[in-house]
Amino acid sequence: MLKISRDNKPIITHILHKDDGDCSSIQIELGNYDIKNNKIIFYTYWAAADLQGILTYPFGFRKQIYNVSTNGNLSLSKATIYIEEDYINDKKQEGLKFLNIKAKNRSEEQLLQNYKAVVENKYHSEFVDGKEKELLMKEVRQKLQQEILIETKDWKETYGSNAKM
């Protein structure tokens, strides 16, 4: 975990590597960052694999841009995310399925919008899809390419694996 402090007071943390799992599944969260001028850019990648062939979550990408003021304060200027996560705050997210299957009616569209709102609230990021999702995915995968390769090299073509790079 990357921890940024000032005067021995924590300002922000960012996970660089976290994994969890059991004998048949694993979930990873990988992170990295760049410092450009007065900005710190954090990148996050989530993926999971299951030897039983069952898709597990979360799977996604996030980019956060923080401005650093002259007195050292951080402020979030932009954050974008695409994530597929079936349980958020211990609640099944019914709208998740409509990320990849077109909603057929107003009720399904509302479930999708509710899912995006829950994600945005939890991760303090703007949910992106379509072309913005593809650009975010490409940028995060490129930034974390080495970390993803190391962590997923033994994975079969599973959800979120390196095989999709």
Side-chain angles (χ1 to χ4, degrees), residues 9-141:
K9 293 181 183 178
I11 298 173
I12 195 166
T13 61
H14 182 66
I15 294 173
L16 299 176
H17 181 270
K18 178 180 176 184
D19 60 58
D20 188 23
D22 56 29
C23 62
S24 68
S25 67
I26 185 167
Q27 295 178 348
I28 60 170
E29 179 176 345
L30 304 173
N32 208 335
Y33 64 95
D34 274 334
I35 298 173
K36 294 181 181 177
N37 299 321
N38 68 329
K39 297 184 184 324
I40 301 175
I41 305 166
F42 292 109
Y43 302 91
T44 304
Y45 171 81
W46 295 273
D50 189 319
L51 293 175
Q52 297 176 22
I54 301 168
L55 297 181
T56 57
Y57 300 98
F59 169 73
F61 313 88
R62 179 178 59 190
K63 178 182 176 183
Q64 300 165 292
I65 303 172
Y66 284 86
N67 289 323
V68 182
S69 67
T70 54
N71 63 0
N73 292 326
L74 290 179
S75 62
L76 182 63
S77 64
K78 185 172 183 178
T80 54
I81 190 169
Y82 175 85
I83 192 165
E84 298 178 14
E85 188 170 3
D86 54 357
Y87 281 89
I88 299 176
N89 302 327
D90 296 325
K91 185 175 181 194
K92 176 81 171 155
Q93 297 301 310
E94 299 298 329
L96 170 64
K97 62 185 158 197
F98 302 112
L99 288 175
N100 298 305
I101 298 171
K102 184 166 176 55
K104 295 178 189 140
N105 55 48
R106 191 173 278 184
S107 175
E108 291 177 351
E109 182 61 37
Q110 187 61 51
L111 287 171
L112 174 59
Q113 294 309 313
N114 290 346
Y115 173 77
K116 290 178 179 181
V118 168
V119 167
E120 289 179 342
N121 186 53
K122 177 180 178 182
Y123 292 99
H124 307 287
S125 300
E126 175 190 355
F127 193 95
V128 295
D129 50 15
K131 187 171 183 145
E132 289 177 298
K133 169 198 160 189
E134 296 302 318
L135 291 171
L136 176 64
M137 178 174 66
K138 183 178 179 180
E139 182 178 3
V140 172
R141 281 190 183 273

